[in-house]
Amino acid sequence: MRCDKTAAWSQLQQHAESFAGFDLRTAFAGDATRAARLSQSAPHVFADLSKNHTDAATEALLMELARQTGLAAHRDAMFRGEAINHTEDRAVMHWLLRQPEGSLTGDLAQPLALVHGTLEPMLAYAEQVRADAQITDIVNIGIGGSDLGPQMAVLALQDFVLSGKRFHFVSNVDGHELAAVLKGLKAESTLFLIASKTFTTIETMTNARSALGWFQAQGGSDVARHFAALTTNVAAAAEFGIRTTFGFWDWVGGRYSMWSAIGLPVAIAIGAQGFKDLLAGAHAMDQHFQTAPLEENLPVRLGLLDVWYRNFLNYTSRSIAPYHSALRRVPAYLQQLEMESNGKRVDRNGQALSYGTSPVLWGEPGTNGQHAYFQMLHQGTDIVPLEFIAVKKPTHSLKDHHELLLANVIAQAQALMQGKSDAGGHKHFTGNRPSTFLLLDELTPTSLGALIALQEHRVFVSGSVWGINSFDQWGVELGKVLAKDIHARIVSGDASGLDASTAALLQRVRS
Ligand code: F6P
């Protein structure tokens, strides 16, 4: 049943009214079990949800909402390989990419065999590149899901990256990006990975053609050795002239594809075993999501909290604050994951929604954010729930730094909640500002895999409750079509039929 038609939805609306006076400080003072009850461990991730605007009654009603909207059945349909991405008639099986070999029977046994039949040669290739001392620079050319995941993971796992190899990520059609990367490269020591699920994306194809042109102009001739394609469209890659291809399947969404051949730069960076560890961490989270009771299921609790905030407390954004500089691309990665998945205005039947869906996600690493926009989080007029991500153990040995970093992240969560009322006016902090605290023991391939799978599943949960299709992205199509038309007009100068603003801009950029 659609969420807004359920009894739980109306009860949550009523509950939200009585919730207006909720105060975190009072909630803690009145309930000695609050921190423990609203904290939980999931594989490789500890989460403290207790500094959120929620309580036992809210959680109970949200669980009811999950039941009444059929969340568990929808989750199980995904894990059975049903075509839950119905607007594209596709299954949603990124989780299968992390499933151990031979662990499934029935209809999924064959796709799982295909997954491992593809993974092994890809990992063997990654090891071959790692052992090839002549290749010093790996350039990934891809955009969206074919860029953000691998880029985020290579950065996050920098301590595990093989020395002597440099990784570059080129996504933008803006030639300044590719030109700046090419400037420092030599054809004989560069491997280009052309990453595109469809192998038709204009940005990637334009960059790939320019990279090939540059390679040949530099005297490079062995395209098979210096170019590999990561794609579901092997025929298009062959037509482009690339022989070395690693495939995947239409049931892997672009923003869910870092576990597939799209993860090749990660596998080259951290090695075959590291990549397997990444998959294993994600698989552990898959199992947690599949089997833990809803009340103790971390992706479920997070996803339901997202719904509570968006639809009942009207918080329209969420800020991500990773307190680890290697996690600095996590906010950008999560932006695509959440906003491309759940930025939808119609339900699964195409009916317009009367309630909000995806929040706006944004963020920067701490402590940098503290000296930039945290002012607004502490004293602004909007409430923005913050999601801290911290890592217990550092991998460097510099004295004092990590203690200071951890002190800051804990203090920020505390300050947001406690506020400061001994001064008035400009120096007054209202406090009672919500945050979630995610803690990893260490930042490793395994824990990163678990953290990202956790985020994938929480997006599934809110999308499922909202009754939308989280796995298509029709909203990106219009811009692509119009850009084609405007491109032709920039070349020809034809402004006929355009609105006055667009026509004037066209003339201005051409003059
Ligand atoms: O623009 C939307 C999108 O389709 C994303 O969903 C996807 O990750 C990105 O473009 C890149 O697509 P591809 O991997 O097919 O080049």
Side-chain angles (χ1 to χ4, degrees):
M1 193 192 290
R2 205 170 95 170
C3 58
D4 57 339
K5 306 277 183 281
T6 61
W9 189 268
S10 320
Q11 287 168 315
L12 279 159
Q13 278 173 329
Q14 281 166 22
H15 181 62
E17 280 168 33
S18 66
F19 214 78
F22 177 84
D23 191 298
L24 280 165
R25 294 153 292 197
T26 320
F28 273 102
D31 178 5
T33 66
R34 181 177 173 89
R37 209 169 27 75
L38 286 163
S39 292
Q40 87 160 84
S41 292
H44 311 287
V45 183
F46 168 82
D48 177 1
L49 310 183
S50 66
K51 290 196 191 75
N52 277 294
H53 289 174
T54 185
D55 59 9
T58 312
E59 276 224 319
L61 283 173
L62 288 168
M63 291 299 158
E64 259 318 299
L65 181 67
R67 281 186 202 101
Q68 290 171 17
T69 52
L71 169 66
H74 193 217
R75 173 199 62 192
D76 296 345
M78 173 173 77
F79 283 105
R80 273 197 306 273
E82 288 177 21
I84 60 168
N85 174 3
H86 67 290
T87 60
E88 297 180 305
D89 195 22
R90 288 176 185 167
V92 173
M93 298 206 292
H94 45 278
W95 55 271
L96 193 72
L97 301 164
R98 340 192 272 207
Q99 189 75 30
E101 193 169 12
S103 60
L104 294 175
T105 51
D107 290 351
L108 293 174
Q110 198 242 352
L112 182 58
L114 277 178
V115 164
H116 285 274
T118 308
L119 176 64
E120 288 309 326
M122 169 193 144
L123 294 181
Y125 178 77
E127 286 298 333
Q128 181 192 316
V129 174
R130 283 164 68 83
D132 187 338
Q134 253 191 352
I135 300 291
T136 55
D137 291 86
I138 292 95
V139 182
N140 189 80
I141 293 181
I143 196 163
S146 300
D147 166 68
L148 290 164
Q151 188 188 155
M152 175 276 294
V154 169
L155 256 175
L157 300 172
Q158 60 194 17
D159 286 325
F160 298 80
V161 174
L162 185 68
S163 61
K165 305 266 186 236
R166 285 180 295 268
F167 292 83
H168 313 269
F169 290 85
V170 175
S171 53
N172 203 321
V173 74
D174 180 355
H176 294 103
E177 192 176 41
L178 179 63
V181 168
L182 292 178
K183 229 183 242 172
L185 302 181
K186 291 197 177 74
E188 68 270 20
S189 54
T190 302
L191 170 64
F192 291 98
L193 303 176
I194 313 302
S196 176
K197 179 177 170 181
T198 55
F199 227 77
T200 57
T201 304
I202 194 86
E203 291 90 337
T204 303
M205 292 302 105
T206 306
N207 280 322
R209 271 193 299 275
S210 297
L212 184 60
W214 172 88
F215 176 75
Q216 287 163 340
Q218 297 286 309
S221 56
D222 194 350
V223 173
R225 174 166 156 70
H226 292 273
F227 282 77
L230 323 174
T231 186
T232 58
N233 191 352
V234 173
E239 203 172 307
F240 185 89
I242 299 182
R243 301 265 161 278
T244 315
T245 303
F246 298 95
F248 57 111
W249 305 272
D250 69 359
W251 43 259
V252 182
R255 53 193 172 275
Y256 299 87
S257 65
M258 60 175 269
W259 324 97
S260 71
I262 294 294
L264 181 59
V266 186
I268 296 172
I270 64 172
Q273 189 52 51
F275 196 76
K276 285 183 177 173
D277 292 346
L278 181 82
L279 298 178
H283 178 64
M285 192 59 76
D286 294 339
Q287 286 187 306
H288 170 77
F289 180 46
Q290 252 185 300
T291 59
L294 297 187
E295 290 77 5
E296 295 153 36
N297 194 312
L298 187 55
V300 171
R301 291 176 94 181
L302 283 173
L304 291 176
L305 188 63
D306 295 339
V307 172
W308 169 241
Y309 279 172
R310 182 72 182 90
N311 302 118
F312 300 97
L313 301 190
N314 300 319
Y315 303 157
T316 54
S317 88
R318 175 163 83 247
S319 187
I320 315 296
Y323 273 64
H324 194 305
S325 69
L327 295 177
R328 63 186 173 275
R329 289 299 284 167
V330 166
Y333 174 82
L334 294 181
Q335 259 171 359
Q336 185 195 16
L337 182 63
E338 173 91 47
M339 295 165 77
E340 201 174 71
S341 296
N342 286 345
K344 309 287 163 65
R345 54 166 291 282
V346 295
D347 67 16
R348 284 184 210 123
N349 301 319
Q351 301 299 313
L353 301 175
S354 59
Y355 47 88
T357 55
S358 173
V360 176
L361 254 69
W362 56 284
E364 282 287 324
T367 57
N368 297 6
Q370 289 174 216
H371 298 274
Y373 54 78
F374 270 44
Q375 163 66 39
M376 180 265 196
L377 302 178
H378 285 285
Q379 289 188 315
T381 49
D382 291 298
I383 304 284
V384 180
L386 206 67
E387 191 154 301
F388 294 106
I389 307 173
V391 179
K392 213 156 104 180
K393 293 188 200 139
T395 49
H396 63 78
S397 53
L398 297 173
K399 216 169 149 298
D400 296 339
H401 287 259
H402 207 65
E403 289 80 358
L404 271 171
L405 182 71
L406 291 178
N408 269 280
V409 63
I410 292 175
Q412 284 299 323
Q414 187 189 29
L416 284 163
M417 174 177 78
Q418 278 186 351
K420 187 170 181 288
S421 52
D422 56 352
H426 300 287
K427 295 186 180 170
H428 179 75
F429 290 66
T430 56
N432 194 30
R433 306 232 161 180
S435 67
T436 295
F437 201 107
L438 301 181
L439 183 66
L440 311 181
D441 271 348
E442 296 175 275
L443 183 54
T444 62
T446 315
S447 67
L448 182 72
L451 176 70
I452 298 303
L454 167 67
Q455 300 288 349
E456 288 178 346
H457 295 322
R458 68 106 66 95
V459 167
F460 178 95
V461 168
S462 52
S464 173
V465 170
W466 285 325
I468 57 182
N469 181 355
S470 299
F471 300 100
D472 59 12
Q473 56 285 316
W474 299 106
V476 299
E477 295 304 321
L478 178 60
K480 289 185 192 175
V481 173
L482 293 187
K484 227 178 191 174
D485 172 62
I486 298 286
H487 182 228
R489 290 171 183 271
I490 284 186
V491 175
S492 70
D494 173 18
S496 58
L498 292 177
D499 65 86
S501 162
T502 308
L505 286 171
L506 186 76
Q507 301 306 358
R508 197 170 272 271
V509 299
R510 287 190 87 247
S511 64

